[in-house]
């Protein structure tokens, strides 16, 4: 019996969970929820920057998962994931699932103007060409990215984790504010879960890091306003939504977002927005220095959800059953 099998949950002896360098803590937490030791691999770089990987555990005939968010540095993490998949394929893994808690490039999901790429589709092609059999991901920027893959893709949501956090705060007189029109469906589902009225911002984006929040539709006066989004990148959307809510008379504003990308001046913008609560998840690590500076920050783990999804995929069980409570609005 190998060291891996000796230290593992015996029901999961055929399962191997590897991790790239992007989310080491989340990978460890996922393995803990599964009662597994993380499978060993040496991830290294040649002096010229090329990535290389040596799998230290036997994967022949095994059901292999690689956890890697394609967060900044996006291209390094993406390439590392592709090299991981190639290593597993050449080492005769039976099945390879890319677990991508945060799927980078997702915002390039269509030609926004002439002579531009659809890079989310290119990434899907790269993963498939590398040899991945399945993808497990969370809160894609747009649901339709699922269709860029011709292999099974399981799309999780962090909504039960974020929703429970805010539910436990027992706020009353709340309004769910969608930061843009495309996010109304999500805000509506949170409204069903948490109660409260729905409001929406008519957001106009000027460029990648510049937002003009034009107007707010709905009633937020005197209310605790909750804003949920898939990601916070530069913080522009979150900050302008919070400002608009306060301008329209909100009593306080709180924010929940799955992916804390947090680039450029995001920390300053979020602090200036004065959120009473700012909850994000561990799909992307937040450096300690940013954690120390960000006011009222709470980082919630999605390891339980991810671990259970991996177990269910391994055992050929339903994933949607994981979200039945959330979907029914209870
Ligand atoms: C936009 O459609 C997304 O859902 C987010 O609102 C956006 O990507 C956040 O980016 P930023 O923080 O740079 O405004």
């Amino acid at each position: 019996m190998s060291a891996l099998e000796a230290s593992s949950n015996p029901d999961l002896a055929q399962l191997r969970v590897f991790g790239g360098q992007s989310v080491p803590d989340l990978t460890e937490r996922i393995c803990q929820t599964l009662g597994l030791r993380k499978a060993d691999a040496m991830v290294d770089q040649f002096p010229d920057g090329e990535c290389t990987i040596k799998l230290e555990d036997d994967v022949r005939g095994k059901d292999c998962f690689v956890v890697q968010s394609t967060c900044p540095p996006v291209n390094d993490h993406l390439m590392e994931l592709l090299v991981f998949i190639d290593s597993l394929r050449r080492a005769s893994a039976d099945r390879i699932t890319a677990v991508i808690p945060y799927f980078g490039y997702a915002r390039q999901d269509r030609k926004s103007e002439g002579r531009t790429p659809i890079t989310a589709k290119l990434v899907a092609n790269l993963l498939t060409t590398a040899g991945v059999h399945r993808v497990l991901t969370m809160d894609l920027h747009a649901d339709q990215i699922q269709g860029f893959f011709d292999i099974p893709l399981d799309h999780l949501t962090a909504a039960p984790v974020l929703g429970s956090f805010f539910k436990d705060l027992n706020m009353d007189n709340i309004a769910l504010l969608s930061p843009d029109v495309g996010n109304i469906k999500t805000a509506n589902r949170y409204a069903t879960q948490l109660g409260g009225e729905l409001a929406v911002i008519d957001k106009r984006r000027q460029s990648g890091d510049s937002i003009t929040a034009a107007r707010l539709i709905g009633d937020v006066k005197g209310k605790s306003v909750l804003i949920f989004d898939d990601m916070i990148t530069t913080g522009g959307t979150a900050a302008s939504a919070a400002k608009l809510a306060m301008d329209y008379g909100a009593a306080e504003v709180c924010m929940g977002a799955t992916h804390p990308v947090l680039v450029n001046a995001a920390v300053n913008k979020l602090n200036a927005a004065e959120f009473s609560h700012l909850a994000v998840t561990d799909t992307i690590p937040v450096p300690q220095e940013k954690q120390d500076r960000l006011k009222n920050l709470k980082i919630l783990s999605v390891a339980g959800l991810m671990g259970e999804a991996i177990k269910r995929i391994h055992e050929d069980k339903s994933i949607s059953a994981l979200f039945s409570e959330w979907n029914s609005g209870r």
Side-chain angles (χ1 to χ4, degrees), residues 37 52 63 115 173:
R37 176 177 67 74
T52 183
D63 190 12
R115 302 193 293 275
N173 197 20

Side-chain angles (χ1 to χ4, degrees), residues 47-105:
D48 60 0
E50 289 178 2
C51 159
T52 183
I53 285 167
K54 165 89 172 90
L55 306 173
E56 310 271 20
D57 276 304
D58 172 36
V59 297
R60 188 174 295 270
K62 300 290 188 287
D63 190 12
C64 296
F65 292 73
V66 190
V67 184
Q68 176 84 319
S69 279
T70 47
C71 55
V74 180
N75 297 336
D76 287 351
H77 286 152
L78 174 60
M79 191 64 202
E80 193 179 286
L81 177 58
L82 295 170
V83 175
F84 236 120
I85 294 164
D86 189 67
S87 313
L88 288 164
R89 184 166 57 91
R90 292 175 194 282
S92 305
D94 183 48
R95 183 171 67 171
I96 306 165
T97 302
V99 181
I100 312 177
Y102 167 70
F103 186 95
Y105 281 115

Side-chain angles (χ1 to χ4, degrees), residues 179-224:
D180 56 48
V181 175
N183 215 15
I184 290 181
K185 201 171 137 203
T186 302
N188 201 20
R189 288 169 85 193
Y190 277 102
T192 312
Q193 186 83 1
L194 302 172
E197 289 183 29
L198 201 60
V200 61
I201 288 177
D202 177 19
K203 173 178 106 172
R204 307 280 159 88
R205 184 176 278 283
Q206 287 181 324
S207 66
D209 63 0
S210 170
I211 300 290
T212 308
R215 62 196 175 114
L216 187 154
I217 303 160
D219 178 19
V220 297
K221 202 169 171 62
K223 296 182 194 276
S224 293

Side-chain angles (χ1 to χ4, degrees), residues 155-173:
H155 187 200
L156 309 181
T157 173
V161 173
L162 290 166
S164 301
F165 171 76
F166 285 101
K167 197 166 195 169
D168 290 347
L169 294 176
N170 289 319
M171 297 176 179
D172 43 44
N173 197 20

